[in-house]
Amino acid sequence: MTTPENAGSDYDVVISGASLAGSAAAILLARRGARVALLERRSDPAAYRVLCTHNVHASAYPVLDELGLLPAIERAGAVPNTARWYTRWGWIEPTDVLAGPGLPSGYNLRRSVLDPMIRARAAQTPGVELLLGHQVTGLVREAGRTVGVRVSTPQGERELRGRLVVGADGRDSAVAKFAGVPARAYENARFGYLAYYRDLPLPDDMTRAWFLEPDMAYAFPNDDGVTVVAVLPHKKRLPGFRADLEGSFDAFVRALPGAPDIDSAERISKIIGMLDYPLREREPIAPGIAFIGDAALTGDPVWGSGCGWALQSAKWLAEAVAPAVTGRGDLDPALAEYARTHRERMRRQKDRHISFATGRPLNPLERLMFAAAARDESMARHMHRFQTRAIGPLRFLNPVALARAAAVNLRSGGPAVPHVRPRRGAGAASR
């Protein structure tokens, strides 16, 4: 629909970045009537992100369902990402986790499969034009707001106008750079290395995570018999890894309690590193612009939240702005609504990421809950819901759960009950 507000625009929405966040947003906006240009700087439709946990939390399951991707994901061999976690009190192991009522699951699926899948779904969606090999080189601005982008293409320079420009182009967002929207960075006291293994034996094909305080590690089984093994040590151990990467990586993994047997598996990749990965956040909106996925908030890879956040933020944006970008409302209030939703839904998760990235030990409440979850099936299932992002921190730390954790630990001689008053409204169904 052409209105006085979007007359002369090529599209209703121009999205920079055609990975998870951008492709999901394009699909959801087009289904709501928007004309969408989906730009991808890489020319290969099968391009994908290599450095990733490949983990889509249960909180994003409804988005995958709305996108219609679940049958394809399951046919591709995605592994439900139910998990067990090692702590100083032992393993947190929800028994019968796959069959247990009320225990949601997301998926582990390599980005080499998932990225081309969702990008192809976007390209097939009426109203979406996928433009490969289109790299944003600047913004088009009028009267103090962004009204389009300038792009470099295989055919030369081009200008694309839209009522809304969406930065779905990652933590180093070019859209943010050209718009002058800075990111606030928070130090991450850990570094990370990961490698891919084929036919690595993991009981029940379940994700394993190790909370070693301050070091972390995880093993994520994925499609086609491939498992991602990652180590995230404190930076005080970095000199040793730099001196002997392969030896340090292998020794770290072999020393894990209940370590995966990497010596019986085939390593099919190099050991890939991220030596400095600060957490970043920026304002999710600017005049005529919205940011989604890592462009809005980059979390700590320890928690494997990025894929889920990408999908969820795409949905929040589409729900907020679709009427406005199709000429049925004002854009600025719609963007403000998206920004409020993003802040409200992400604030406590963000604060947790920032705090834990310092390399601190578990705090009293965390010790209380982790210890109880290692000793009690009900608490283990509660922990599972939290770690898969099916519930947020407020529901995780609701008064009933805290009371049960305290009782479990007192019976077991575990951590003393911390002198922390639950926040007001802690029983609310907050994500």
Side-chain angles (χ1 to χ4, degrees), residues 24 35 49 58 74 97 128 188 203 217 224 229 246-247 258 261 291 332 334 344 354 411 416 418:
R35 301 167 300 144
R49 182 172 178 177
E74 291 173 356
V97 68
V128 176
N188 193 331
D224 198 28
V229 177
E246 297 222 359
D261 186 7
F291 298 103
D332 287 345
E344 289 170 2
I354 291 169
R411 288 197 303 268

PDB file of all heavy atoms in Angstrom, residues 24 35 49 58 74 97 128 188 203 217 224 229 246-247 258 261 291 332 334 344 354 411 416 418:
ATOM      1  N   ALA A  24      14.279 -13.971   9.864  1.00  0.00           N
ATOM      2  CA  ALA A  24      13.046 -14.144  10.636  1.00  0.00           C
ATOM      3  C   ALA A  24      12.199 -12.882  10.584  1.00  0.00           C
ATOM      4  O   ALA A  24      10.979 -12.934  10.374  1.00  0.00           O
ATOM      5  CB  ALA A  24      13.372 -14.513  12.080  1.00  0.00           C
ATOM      6  N   ARG A  35       6.395  -4.814   2.433  1.00  0.00           N
ATOM      7  CA  ARG A  35       7.329  -5.074   1.333  1.00  0.00           C
ATOM      8  C   ARG A  35       8.745  -4.957   1.908  1.00  0.00           C
ATOM      9  O   ARG A  35       9.117  -3.887   2.394  1.00  0.00           O
ATOM     10  CB  ARG A  35       7.139  -4.073   0.202  1.00  0.00           C
ATOM     11  CG  ARG A  35       5.738  -4.058  -0.420  1.00  0.00           C
ATOM     12  CD  ARG A  35       5.555  -2.839  -1.294  1.00  0.00           C
ATOM     13  NE  ARG A  35       5.724  -1.612  -0.528  1.00  0.00           N
ATOM     14  CZ  ARG A  35       6.280  -0.518  -1.007  1.00  0.00           C
ATOM     15  NH1 ARG A  35       6.757  -0.475  -2.236  1.00  0.00           N
ATOM     16  NH2 ARG A  35       6.381   0.571  -0.257  1.00  0.00           N
ATOM     17  N   ARG A  49      27.150 -18.578   9.799  1.00  0.00           N
ATOM     18  CA  ARG A  49      28.061 -18.154  10.852  1.00  0.00           C
ATOM     19  C   ARG A  49      28.785 -19.367  11.412  1.00  0.00           C
ATOM     20  O   ARG A  49      28.156 -20.354  11.808  1.00  0.00           O
ATOM     21  CB  ARG A  49      27.298 -17.433  11.967  1.00  0.00           C
ATOM     22  CG  ARG A  49      28.219 -16.920  13.064  1.00  0.00           C
ATOM     23  CD  ARG A  49      27.483 -16.053  14.046  1.00  0.00           C
ATOM     24  NE  ARG A  49      28.365 -15.615  15.123  1.00  0.00           N
ATOM     25  CZ  ARG A  49      28.001 -14.791  16.091  1.00  0.00           C
ATOM     26  NH1 ARG A  49      26.761 -14.312  16.114  1.00  0.00           N
ATOM     27  NH2 ARG A  49      28.848 -14.435  17.030  1.00  0.00           N
ATOM     28  N   ALA A  58      14.737 -23.016  24.205  1.00  0.00           N
ATOM     29  CA  ALA A  58      13.305 -23.314  24.176  1.00  0.00           C
ATOM     30  C   ALA A  58      12.457 -22.056  24.105  1.00  0.00           C
ATOM     31  O   ALA A  58      11.345 -22.086  23.572  1.00  0.00           O
ATOM     32  CB  ALA A  58      12.928 -24.141  25.406  1.00  0.00           C
ATOM     33  N   GLU A  74      13.490 -30.610  12.071  1.00  0.00           N
ATOM     34  CA  GLU A  74      13.523 -31.987  12.560  1.00  0.00           C
ATOM     35  C   GLU A  74      13.987 -32.948  11.477  1.00  0.00           C
ATOM     36  O   GLU A  74      14.726 -33.901  11.750  1.00  0.00           O
ATOM     37  CB  GLU A  74      12.146 -32.351  13.109  1.00  0.00           C
ATOM     38  CG  GLU A  74      11.827 -31.574  14.394  1.00  0.00           C
ATOM     39  CD  GLU A  74      10.417 -31.784  14.887  1.00  0.00           C
ATOM     40  OE1 GLU A  74       9.630 -32.483  14.199  1.00  0.00           O
ATOM     41  OE2 GLU A  74      10.084 -31.242  15.967  1.00  0.00           O
ATOM     42  N   VAL A  97      13.936 -36.500  31.246  1.00  0.00           N
ATOM     43  CA  VAL A  97      13.761 -35.109  30.842  1.00  0.00           C
ATOM     44  C   VAL A  97      13.029 -34.981  29.519  1.00  0.00           C
ATOM     45  O   VAL A  97      12.248 -34.062  29.304  1.00  0.00           O
ATOM     46  CB  VAL A  97      15.129 -34.386  30.799  1.00  0.00           C
ATOM     47  CG1 VAL A  97      15.992 -34.907  29.683  1.00  0.00           C
ATOM     48  CG2 VAL A  97      14.953 -32.890  30.692  1.00  0.00           C
ATOM     49  N   VAL A 128       8.989 -10.529   0.205  1.00  0.00           N
ATOM     50  CA  VAL A 128      10.413 -10.426   0.553  1.00  0.00           C
ATOM     51  C   VAL A 128      11.246 -10.522  -0.711  1.00  0.00           C
ATOM     52  O   VAL A 128      11.057 -11.433  -1.525  1.00  0.00           O
ATOM     53  CB  VAL A 128      10.846 -11.532   1.535  1.00  0.00           C
ATOM     54  CG1 VAL A 128      12.359 -11.447   1.794  1.00  0.00           C
ATOM     55  CG2 VAL A 128      10.076 -11.436   2.840  1.00  0.00           C
ATOM     56  N   ASN A 188      34.485  -9.192  29.335  1.00  0.00           N
ATOM     57  CA  ASN A 188      34.297 -10.626  29.534  1.00  0.00           C
ATOM     58  C   ASN A 188      35.628 -11.184  30.029  1.00  0.00           C
ATOM     59  O   ASN A 188      36.643 -11.098  29.333  1.00  0.00           O
ATOM     60  CB  ASN A 188      33.881 -11.305  28.233  1.00  0.00           C
ATOM     61  CG  ASN A 188      33.371 -12.716  28.448  1.00  0.00           C
ATOM     62  OD1 ASN A 188      33.774 -13.389  29.391  1.00  0.00           O
ATOM     63  ND2 ASN A 188      32.496 -13.166  27.572  1.00  0.00           N
ATOM     64  N   PRO A 203      26.317 -39.764  26.392  1.00  0.00           N
ATOM     65  CA  PRO A 203      25.151 -40.534  26.823  1.00  0.00           C
ATOM     66  C   PRO A 203      23.852 -39.780  26.545  1.00  0.00           C
ATOM     67  O   PRO A 203      23.729 -38.599  26.840  1.00  0.00           O
ATOM     68  CB  PRO A 203      25.378 -40.712  28.330  1.00  0.00           C
ATOM     69  CG  PRO A 203      26.861 -40.575  28.505  1.00  0.00           C
ATOM     70  CD  PRO A 203      27.296 -39.591  27.460  1.00  0.00           C
ATOM     71  N   ALA A 217      32.738 -24.939  30.378  1.00  0.00           N
ATOM     72  CA  ALA A 217      32.885 -25.751  29.173  1.00  0.00           C
ATOM     73  C   ALA A 217      31.513 -26.289  28.800  1.00  0.00           C
ATOM     74  O   ALA A 217      30.607 -26.351  29.638  1.00  0.00           O
ATOM     75  CB  ALA A 217      33.860 -26.908  29.401  1.00  0.00           C
ATOM     76  N   ASP A 224      23.735 -34.685  12.195  1.00  0.00           N
ATOM     77  CA  ASP A 224      24.711 -35.451  11.413  1.00  0.00           C
ATOM     78  C   ASP A 224      25.853 -35.984  12.267  1.00  0.00           C
ATOM     79  O   ASP A 224      26.985 -36.121  11.790  1.00  0.00           O
ATOM     80  CB  ASP A 224      25.264 -34.603  10.259  1.00  0.00           C
ATOM     81  CG  ASP A 224      25.940 -35.456   9.176  1.00  0.00           C
ATOM     82  OD1 ASP A 224      25.549 -36.625   9.020  1.00  0.00           O
ATOM     83  OD2 ASP A 224      26.863 -34.946   8.509  1.00  0.00           O
ATOM     84  N   VAL A 229      32.348 -28.912  20.902  1.00  0.00           N
ATOM     85  CA  VAL A 229      32.953 -28.902  22.229  1.00  0.00           C
ATOM     86  C   VAL A 229      33.644 -27.562  22.405  1.00  0.00           C
ATOM     87  O   VAL A 229      34.467 -27.163  21.572  1.00  0.00           O
ATOM     88  CB  VAL A 229      33.960 -30.055  22.400  1.00  0.00           C
ATOM     89  CG1 VAL A 229      34.639 -29.973  23.770  1.00  0.00           C
ATOM     90  CG2 VAL A 229      33.262 -31.403  22.240  1.00  0.00           C
ATOM     91  N   GLU A 246      46.597 -26.647  20.949  1.00  0.00           N
ATOM     92  CA  GLU A 246      46.000 -27.987  20.857  1.00  0.00           C
ATOM     93  C   GLU A 246      46.210 -28.769  22.142  1.00  0.00           C
ATOM     94  O   GLU A 246      45.279 -29.429  22.641  1.00  0.00           O
ATOM     95  CB  GLU A 246      46.592 -28.747  19.661  1.00  0.00           C
ATOM     96  CG  GLU A 246      46.291 -28.097  18.337  1.00  0.00           C
ATOM     97  CD  GLU A 246      45.907 -29.108  17.255  1.00  0.00           C
ATOM     98  OE1 GLU A 246      45.904 -30.317  17.549  1.00  0.00           O
ATOM     99  OE2 GLU A 246      45.615 -28.675  16.137  1.00  0.00           O
ATOM    100  N   GLY A 247      47.416 -28.701  22.694  1.00  0.00           N
ATOM    101  CA  GLY A 247      47.675 -29.426  23.926  1.00  0.00           C
ATOM    102  C   GLY A 247      46.837 -28.902  25.081  1.00  0.00           C
ATOM    103  O   GLY A 247      46.285 -29.687  25.871  1.00  0.00           O
ATOM    104  N   GLY A 258      33.587 -36.367  34.148  1.00  0.00           N
ATOM    105  CA  GLY A 258      32.754 -37.051  33.169  1.00  0.00           C
ATOM    106  C   GLY A 258      33.021 -36.559  31.767  1.00  0.00           C
ATOM    107  O   GLY A 258      32.105 -36.367  30.962  1.00  0.00           O
ATOM    108  N   ASP A 261      34.760 -38.239  25.521  1.00  0.00           N
ATOM    109  CA  ASP A 261      35.943 -38.965  25.066  1.00  0.00           C
ATOM    110  C   ASP A 261      36.364 -38.470  23.686  1.00  0.00           C
ATOM    111  O   ASP A 261      36.086 -39.110  22.669  1.00  0.00           O
ATOM    112  CB  ASP A 261      35.644 -40.461  25.048  1.00  0.00           C
ATOM    113  CG  ASP A 261      36.880 -41.301  24.731  1.00  0.00           C
ATOM    114  OD1 ASP A 261      37.993 -40.719  24.652  1.00  0.00           O
ATOM    115  OD2 ASP A 261      36.729 -42.523  24.552  1.00  0.00           O
ATOM    116  N   PHE A 291      17.226  -2.150  15.767  1.00  0.00           N
ATOM    117  CA  PHE A 291      18.275  -3.165  15.823  1.00  0.00           C
ATOM    118  C   PHE A 291      17.713  -4.435  16.446  1.00  0.00           C
ATOM    119  O   PHE A 291      16.965  -4.384  17.427  1.00  0.00           O
ATOM    120  CB  PHE A 291      19.467  -2.666  16.642  1.00  0.00           C
ATOM    121  CG  PHE A 291      20.122  -1.447  16.070  1.00  0.00           C
ATOM    122  CD1 PHE A 291      19.895  -0.184  16.616  1.00  0.00           C
ATOM    123  CD2 PHE A 291      20.940  -1.544  14.958  1.00  0.00           C
ATOM    124  CE1 PHE A 291      20.478   0.940  16.084  1.00  0.00           C
ATOM    125  CE2 PHE A 291      21.533  -0.411  14.411  1.00  0.00           C
ATOM    126  CZ  PHE A 291      21.299   0.833  14.970  1.00  0.00           C
ATOM    127  N   ASP A 332       7.119   6.068  14.845  1.00  0.00           N
ATOM    128  CA  ASP A 332       7.893   6.362  16.053  1.00  0.00           C
ATOM    129  C   ASP A 332       7.287   5.737  17.308  1.00  0.00           C
ATOM    130  O   ASP A 332       8.016   5.129  18.105  1.00  0.00           O
ATOM    131  CB  ASP A 332       8.071   7.868  16.222  1.00  0.00           C
ATOM    132  CG  ASP A 332       9.059   8.446  15.211  1.00  0.00           C
ATOM    133  OD1 ASP A 332       9.800   7.651  14.596  1.00  0.00           O
ATOM    134  OD2 ASP A 332       9.094   9.676  15.040  1.00  0.00           O
ATOM    135  N   ALA A 334       5.499   3.084  17.390  1.00  0.00           N
ATOM    136  CA  ALA A 334       5.685   1.644  17.224  1.00  0.00           C
ATOM    137  C   ALA A 334       7.110   1.233  17.572  1.00  0.00           C
ATOM    138  O   ALA A 334       7.336   0.196  18.220  1.00  0.00           O
ATOM    139  CB  ALA A 334       5.352   1.239  15.786  1.00  0.00           C
ATOM    140  N   GLU A 344      12.406  -4.639  28.504  1.00  0.00           N
ATOM    141  CA  GLU A 344      11.743  -5.371  29.579  1.00  0.00           C
ATOM    142  C   GLU A 344      12.052  -6.854  29.531  1.00  0.00           C
ATOM    143  O   GLU A 344      12.266  -7.491  30.573  1.00  0.00           O
ATOM    144  CB  GLU A 344      10.229  -5.139  29.491  1.00  0.00           C
ATOM    145  CG  GLU A 344       9.803  -3.730  29.870  1.00  0.00           C
ATOM    146  CD  GLU A 344       8.350  -3.448  29.547  1.00  0.00           C
ATOM    147  OE1 GLU A 344       7.658  -4.379  29.052  1.00  0.00           O
ATOM    148  OE2 GLU A 344       7.899  -2.306  29.773  1.00  0.00           O
ATOM    149  N   ILE A 354      26.094  -9.938  32.166  1.00  0.00           N
ATOM    150  CA  ILE A 354      27.163  -8.987  32.493  1.00  0.00           C
ATOM    151  C   ILE A 354      27.840  -9.372  33.796  1.00  0.00           C
ATOM    152  O   ILE A 354      29.072  -9.351  33.917  1.00  0.00           O
ATOM    153  CB  ILE A 354      26.588  -7.561  32.568  1.00  0.00           C
ATOM    154  CG1 ILE A 354      26.162  -7.092  31.171  1.00  0.00           C
ATOM    155  CG2 ILE A 354      27.607  -6.591  33.166  1.00  0.00           C
ATOM    156  CD1 ILE A 354      25.347  -5.808  31.180  1.00  0.00           C
ATOM    157  N   ARG A 411      18.337 -30.342  54.461  1.00  0.00           N
ATOM    158  CA  ARG A 411      18.312 -31.795  54.669  1.00  0.00           C
ATOM    159  C   ARG A 411      19.623 -32.437  54.260  1.00  0.00           C
ATOM    160  O   ARG A 411      20.022 -33.463  54.814  1.00  0.00           O
ATOM    161  CB  ARG A 411      17.180 -32.426  53.856  1.00  0.00           C
ATOM    162  CG  ARG A 411      15.784 -32.139  54.385  1.00  0.00           C
ATOM    163  CD  ARG A 411      14.772 -33.107  53.797  1.00  0.00           C
ATOM    164  NE  ARG A 411      14.754 -33.096  52.345  1.00  0.00           N
ATOM    165  CZ  ARG A 411      13.938 -32.319  51.631  1.00  0.00           C
ATOM    166  NH1 ARG A 411      13.097 -31.496  52.252  1.00  0.00           N
ATOM    167  NH2 ARG A 411      13.968 -32.372  50.316  1.00  0.00           N
ATOM    168  N   ALA A 416      24.025 -22.736  53.272  1.00  0.00           N
ATOM    169  CA  ALA A 416      23.069 -22.093  54.158  1.00  0.00           C
ATOM    170  C   ALA A 416      22.138 -21.198  53.354  1.00  0.00           C
ATOM    171  O   ALA A 416      22.482 -20.718  52.278  1.00  0.00           O
ATOM    172  CB  ALA A 416      23.801 -21.263  55.207  1.00  0.00           C
ATOM    173  N   PRO A 418      20.729 -18.060  52.034  1.00  0.00           N
ATOM    174  CA  PRO A 418      21.293 -16.708  51.994  1.00  0.00           C
ATOM    175  C   PRO A 418      20.313 -15.691  52.545  1.00  0.00           C
ATOM    176  O   PRO A 418      19.099 -15.849  52.442  1.00  0.00           O
ATOM    177  CB  PRO A 418      21.536 -16.474  50.493  1.00  0.00           C
ATOM    178  CG  PRO A 418      20.541 -17.351  49.809  1.00  0.00           C
ATOM    179  CD  PRO A 418      20.385 -18.556  50.700  1.00  0.00           C
TER     180      PRO A 418
END
